[in-house]
Amino acid sequence: MPWVIIFIMSWLLFFIFIDYSRLKDNIAGGVLSIGLATIVDSGAQHLQLYKFCNLIIPWIGLPAPYIFGPIFTMGILFIQFVPCNKWLQFLHILIFALIFAAVDYLTVLVQVAKYFHWHWLASFFFNTVTFAGLTWVTIKFIWEKE
């Protein structure tokens, strides 16, 4: 049930905040996020760093509602809201990284994920690197195209 709640909440936020006029360009953020999350989370589970439980709909050993819920939708929204100012970009990255680390932490609390050799701070670090990369992709490929 927690995966369904996460899925629904992320899509609600998506529909509230999405700018449909920019969706064509920003969808790359969702697709890249799915790719990165699939690689990282599959690899981390293979290395027994952590494990997802109660996979109601599996996606390569991952919960599909998680991948196609917050990973996809928030990847799109992240790119949509990347600010021009460098300091605001830094803040934008930190806020999204903290939100995703909090979601990771909550999944452990409700026992749909288990940490073996992992910590939520490691999630925060990887989330920060991922969102910094998505910011670079936004600046380099989306903004320059415009």
Side-chain angles (χ1 to χ4, degrees):
M1 190 62 158
W3 295 126
V4 174
I5 293 169
I6 290 171
F7 180 85
I8 291 170
M9 291 301 296
S10 62
W11 278 98
L12 283 173
L13 289 171
F14 178 80
F15 287 122
I16 290 169
F17 292 109
I18 191 63
D19 178 355
Y20 289 101
S21 69
R22 297 174 52 203
L23 181 59
K24 182 180 164 196
D25 290 329
N26 296 337
I27 202 160
V31 174
L32 282 171
S33 296
I34 286 174
L36 289 169
T38 300
I39 291 167
V40 170
D41 288 336
S42 295
Q45 287 191 108
H46 180 73
L47 293 171
Q48 297 179 350
L49 300 175
Y50 54 83
K51 178 182 170 137
F52 292 108
C53 309
N54 302 329
L55 305 179
I56 55 173
I57 304 169
W59 165 265
I60 311 171
L62 306 170
Y66 179 65
I67 296 296
F68 296 101
I71 299 297
F72 180 68
T73 60
M74 297 307 119
I76 294 170
L77 291 177
F78 177 84
I79 283 187
Q80 175 180 301
F81 289 112
V82 170
C84 294
N85 180 285
K86 296 286 185 199
W87 287 107
L88 291 178
Q89 288 173 4
F90 176 74
L91 186 61
H92 183 66
I93 291 166
L94 284 180
I95 289 169
F96 268 80
L98 279 170
I99 290 169
F100 268 85
V103 169
D104 286 356
Y105 184 75
L106 289 172
T107 61
V108 172
L109 281 179
V110 297
Q111 301 178 346
V112 292
K114 293 181 183 174
Y115 287 172
F116 301 119
H117 306 287
W118 197 250
H119 193 273
W120 74 270
L121 288 173
S123 291
F124 173 70
F125 172 77
F126 278 94
N127 294 336
T128 303
V129 171
T130 299
F131 287 122
L134 284 175
T135 300
W136 179 81
V137 166
T138 302
I139 294 166
K140 190 72 178 160
F141 296 102
I142 296 174
W143 290 358
E144 284 187 6
K145 188 175 94 173
E146 293 172 356

